Amino acid sequence: MYSIRWTRSPKFGASAGGASPGIYATPEQLETLRQQLDLDKPIYVLYVRWLGQIIRGDFGVSLITKAYVSTLIGHSLSIILQLTAVAMVMVLLIAFPAGTISAVKRNSASDMLRRVLSLLGISMPNFWLALLFITCIAVGLGWFPPGGYVSPDRGFGPWLQSLILPALSIAAAPASALSRMVRASMLDVLSKDYIRRARAKGQRERWIVLSIRARHSQPRHPRDADIPRPGFAGGDPGGDSRHDDWLGGRLYRRAGRFMKIRRSSRPISTR
Amino acid sequence: MNKPGGNGGERRFNLLGVRKKNIETGIQDEYQLLTVRQLMIRKFLRNRMALLSFIALLIIYLVTLFAGFFAPYTARDADSKLTYSPPMAIRLQDPETGHFHLPFFYPLRGKRNMETFQLEYVEEREKRIPIQFFVKGEPYKALGIIAWDIHLFGSSDPDERLHIMGSDVRGRDLFSRIIYGGQVSLSVGIFGVLITIAVGSVIGTLSGYYGGVFDNVVQRVIETIRSFPQLPLWMALAAAIPPQWPPEWVYAGIVVVLAFINWTGLSREVRGLVLSLKERDYVHAAEASGASTARIVRKHLIPNMASHIIVTATLAVPVTILGESALSFLGIGVRPPMVSWGLLLNDAIKIQNIVLYPWTLFPGLFILVAVIAYNFLGDGLRDMVDPFSR
């Protein structure tokens, strides 16, 4: 991927060398700059040298800010990690309760509302959702800052405030998809015989639901519940289905595999 | 839930056939068995949302195909007097009498606010401009060939422009631009998926059918491609499109870039299907009776895979549409003389723009509708392919 990007970098096009000294540069100045940037060497030499630098962790110097690229990356990386962590917590906090309540109160008005919302969440381009958040919540209501990042040194409250809207716009799609999956697998489990037996035995409904949540709800195939969409982050390293491109799917599938093992002993003990 | 016996059995039987009334006795006791194809159509028609989405998509595509007719203006038709004009309300009520009035609008007049230096628009209430249907307006070429100048609706006075969704920085009608932008945004989905189908199914079939080294290499390549996060890979590839290319080439380049990731998913699915299909008895029988590989693929594999490919393709269209709009939104997708929904949203990338001119967010609504419709349609088709499931 980096190699592709490299071919478009100004170093590659020899003519772009004229950009830095300005349009009134003399031919001698241009020649010096070309030599400084090694543009007189053949492309493959440059490419191999550049690759070597990358491997040693030297990403070079930004042509625009003149700062080391590795420092620039390092700076944004910490923010991205914080943002991802907040977004992930949001996905879990939204998806599991919403999916469970929807399954328990199946076909009720609130269930329909949640299903419509989750569909919107899946289909909405998340950059557009972010823009909507900025106009409606940040500017309209003034609850959160419309942009920028506040470091946690300046207090936990402001830090969280600056991250909530961006994290929410990232979390919306995976949370919607995951809540659909939770709902589907909850419905599946709630119709099982051992649940009926537990009800007949007089177990409290709350206990049934919560204990299923903890142990039994094993996802059906992810295909049943979700709709694929492109993610702004996250790949699918070697996954066998294109349906779990997003974070939640992988997580849930892994959990599911784990639960499957535990499930195998379950029906015997309940019967 | 195909459990035999009990309720399940009866239900299944209802799904397989239609109950016919016996005319003489009046008792419903005869069943007419339906073919699988009839069952599929029945199942699809029963899914209201899928049907609705299908109709909605047909309408959207028709409108964008005949963009010149449905859009009141052309995409480049600018008016320097109405830059960033807010959406104009279409009125159906006479304000004095309160009775119904044929649709009209009040023209907007821009006035510079001398404190904020903002251009503020006020309705000129004295002037009522009727909205006409089939009005003569800007000349355009329907379908790119037939020169015409009739628009579905528009202002009856060519000097007073009607912007039902506001206008942009150069006073171009946003609604018209959205309709023209749909041509790019929606066709990217179709073309991208056509490439995906062509490449994905051929490579998937080959690697599933022949296996061996070829399969191994292809699978590793696919895994490599898929291990990259989707959007950054798209961005890197889109950035590799030379900036000096004409817009039409850039458009084609974007389509190829979008298909570059999508074909991997389809080819995996096809490979899996081929792996299971080639062990079926009828394929073995065909092999034993000396059918050529080409014939087996044509007569046995393709018909069995077609429905799966169509479903996967339908669900890949919204992904492609979202991908194109994300790239264009970031400014590395299609280039300006062309219009696309993502590119129109690029106007809203600056925070002061969305605060001052929130109507620049309208194109996102169209992306949303198209993507939802495709998702519903894909869901419906997925159920349809398996007509025996409940």
Side-chain angles (χ1 to χ4, degrees):
Chain A
M1 196 160 90
Y2 253 113
S3 308
I4 300 165
R5 184 66 196 89
W6 182 81
T7 59
R8 299 263 20 106
S9 72
K11 257 189 183 180
F12 183 66
S15 58
S20 301
I23 46 170
Y24 299 114
T26 59
E28 294 82 53
Q29 278 176 323
L30 278 181
E31 199 45 49
T32 341
L33 191 86
R34 286 216 179 94
Q35 271 166 17
Q36 268 174 16
L37 293 174
D38 288 330
L39 288 175
D40 45 352
K41 307 249 167 41
I43 283 167
Y44 54 88
V45 174
L46 292 179
Y47 182 63
V48 170
R49 186 191 297 166
W50 176 82
L51 266 188
Q53 285 172 345
I54 291 281
I55 290 165
R56 275 178 274 133
D58 175 11
F59 290 89
V61 179
S62 161
L63 280 173
I64 297 164
T65 60
K66 309 277 185 241
Y68 281 105
V69 174
S70 44
T71 355
L72 292 176
I73 292 178
H75 180 69
S76 13
L77 191 65
S78 92
I79 301 180
I80 286 174
L81 287 180
Q82 292 168 29
L83 188 62
T84 316
V86 175
M88 207 167 131
V89 171
M90 275 183 181
V91 168
L92 298 179
L93 281 185
I94 297 171
F96 279 93
T100 313
I101 297 172
S102 272
V104 174
K105 305 207 162 147
R106 186 187 183 178
N107 294 336
S108 68
S110 71
D111 177 29
M112 291 312 273
L113 181 73
R114 262 188 294 270
R115 284 166 73 184
V116 170
L117 277 182
S118 77
L119 208 103
L120 280 180
I122 291 172
S123 306
M124 203 174 275
N126 54 8
F127 55 92
W128 191 60
L129 184 66
L131 292 177
L132 281 186
F133 279 155
I134 293 176
T135 25
C136 302
I137 302 179
V139 177
L141 298 170
W143 291 352
F144 301 100
Y149 165 76
V150 181
S151 123
D153 312 337
R154 313 233 314 256
F156 180 75
W159 170 77
L160 196 63
Q161 228 180 8
S162 74
L163 283 186
I164 277 188
L165 283 188
L168 198 60
S169 42
I170 297 173
S176 313
L178 186 59
S179 80
R180 283 165 73 103
M181 282 175 62
V182 171
R183 181 180 179 277
S185 60
M186 266 309 269
L187 281 178
D188 203 31
V189 174
L190 281 175
S191 64
K192 289 270 157 64
D193 284 346
Y194 52 83
I195 298 296
R196 201 186 303 162
R197 183 177 175 279
R199 282 201 183 119
K201 223 170 72 179
Q203 277 300 358
R204 298 222 323 271
E205 193 67 29
R206 181 181 298 259
W207 185 88
I208 294 176
V209 169
L210 289 181
S211 69
I212 294 169
R213 254 287 282 302
R215 282 190 264 159
H216 290 243
S217 82
Q218 171 206 319
R220 306 192 289 177
H221 192 279
R223 275 176 81 155
D224 291 353
D226 78 318
I227 292 169
R229 64 178 310 288
F232 254 50
D236 179 18
D240 57 351
S241 135
R242 86 203 140 78
H243 297 276
D244 48 1
D245 271 338
W246 33 275
L247 176 90
R250 276 213 304 282
L251 198 113
Y252 202 61
R253 252 158 51 89
R254 204 161 294 154
R257 226 175 285 138
F258 170 69
M259 282 162 189
K260 212 176 215 159
I261 303 165
R262 300 210 40 179
R263 261 289 293 288
S264 55
S265 66
R266 206 59 205 169
I268 304 164
S269 63
T270 45
R271 225 160 254 164
Chain B
M1 311 295 158
N2 283 338
K3 279 179 202 156
N7 263 336
E10 238 168 61
R11 210 191 299 142
R12 195 173 63 145
F13 202 52
N14 279 344
L15 256 172
L16 277 173
V18 186
R19 206 171 253 191
K20 263 172 66 181
K21 215 171 205 172
N22 189 324
I23 301 164
E24 283 166 32
T25 56
I27 305 165
Q28 295 186 331
D29 55 356
E30 277 180 31
Y31 285 91
Q32 181 200 348
L33 280 178
L34 298 175
T35 64
V36 172
R37 180 158 298 172
Q38 282 171 315
L39 276 174
M40 285 164 99
I41 293 170
R42 213 156 244 280
K43 184 126 189 181
F44 184 74
L45 291 180
R46 199 174 292 172
N47 189 337
R48 289 275 158 76
M49 288 316 289
L51 195 63
L52 207 70
S53 307
F54 183 64
I55 295 168
L57 281 175
L58 271 187
I59 294 173
I60 295 176
Y61 271 92
L62 269 182
V63 168
T64 50
L65 194 62
F66 296 98
F69 173 68
F70 287 100
Y73 301 98
T74 58
R76 294 173 205 175
D77 196 5
D79 179 4
S80 55
K81 273 184 305 196
L82 284 170
T83 58
Y84 280 127
S85 80
M88 300 178 188
I90 297 171
R91 287 163 204 276
L92 293 166
Q93 207 183 27
D94 198 312
E96 284 137 34
T97 56
H99 292 309
F100 174 78
H101 190 287
L102 284 172
F104 68 97
F105 69 98
Y106 296 120
L108 293 182
R109 294 280 173 266
K111 225 180 120 187
R112 185 72 60 184
N113 181 334
M114 289 322 278
E115 274 165 38
T116 59
F117 297 110
Q118 286 296 329
L119 198 58
E120 283 169 0
Y121 285 99
V122 227
E123 282 182 336
E124 193 181 83
R125 290 279 172 154
E126 294 79 52
K127 214 167 170 184
R128 247 182 237 175
I129 315 257
I131 293 168
Q132 256 182 19
F133 290 95
F134 302 103
V135 69
K136 222 179 178 76
E138 297 291 324
Y140 60 88
K141 288 211 166 136
L143 293 173
I145 27 175
I146 310 152
W148 214 21
D149 58 356
I150 301 291
H151 297 260
L152 177 65
F153 73 96
S155 159
S156 55
D157 182 351
D159 295 331
E160 302 289 357
R161 289 163 58 103
L162 167 68
H163 299 308
I164 59 168
M165 286 188 182
S167 67
D168 70 354
V169 63
R170 284 164 63 189
R172 293 172 294 197
D173 181 37
L174 190 57
F175 179 66
S176 307
R177 283 173 71 74
I178 287 174
I179 292 182
Y180 277 98
Q183 291 182 329
V184 169
S185 288
L186 295 170
S187 63
V188 158
I190 298 284
F191 291 135
V193 161
L194 283 182
I195 297 180
T196 303
I197 293 178
V199 178
S201 54
V202 169
I203 293 186
T205 313
L206 289 179
S207 80
Y209 199 82
Y210 290 112
V213 182
F214 177 72
D215 181 33
N216 240 322
V217 171
V218 167
Q219 292 313 308
R220 297 301 86 74
V221 168
I222 289 178
E223 273 157 27
T224 315
I225 294 177
R226 291 180 72 80
S227 62
F228 286 112
Q230 212 171 28
L231 192 83
L233 183 55
W234 273 340
M235 284 169 67
L237 290 170
I241 296 174
Q244 59 270 28
W245 274 13
E248 293 77 21
W249 288 32
V250 172
Y251 169 80
I254 293 291
V255 171
V256 172
V257 163
L258 291 171
F260 181 75
I261 300 183
N262 278 347
W263 73 268
T264 55
L266 186 79
S267 96
R268 282 196 162 209
E269 202 139 318
V270 168
R271 174 177 173 269
L273 281 170
V274 170
L275 281 180
S276 82
L277 284 176
K278 78 172 180 185
E279 296 304 321
R280 297 285 168 88
D281 287 342
Y282 51 80
V283 175
H284 284 311
E287 269 168 6
S289 51
S292 68
T293 311
R295 188 186 158 81
I296 292 175
V297 170
R298 212 173 54 239
K299 288 278 171 191
H300 296 297
L301 298 188
I302 290 179
N304 273 306
M305 294 189 306
S307 50
H308 286 263
I309 293 177
I310 290 171
V311 171
T312 315
T314 313
L315 287 171
V317 176
V319 177
T320 317
I321 292 177
L322 280 176
E324 185 275 330
S325 43
L327 287 180
S328 301
F329 172 71
L330 295 172
I332 45 178
V334 294
R335 300 248 159 77
M338 278 197 152
V339 205
S340 91
W341 290 341
L343 201 64
L344 289 173
L345 274 178
N346 194 0
D347 274 353
I349 206 165
K350 284 192 212 125
I351 198 160
Q352 61 264 40
N353 275 16
I354 40 173
V355 174
L356 293 172
Y357 324 114
W359 55 91
T360 47
L361 288 176
F362 267 126
L365 199 67
F366 287 78
I367 302 177
L368 181 67
V369 169
V371 171
I372 285 191
Y374 263 114
N375 279 337
F376 271 128
L377 182 66
D379 259 10
L381 288 179
R382 184 158 62 196
D383 290 344
M384 183 178 119
V385 167
D386 186 12
F388 300 105
S389 73
R390 208 202 68 72

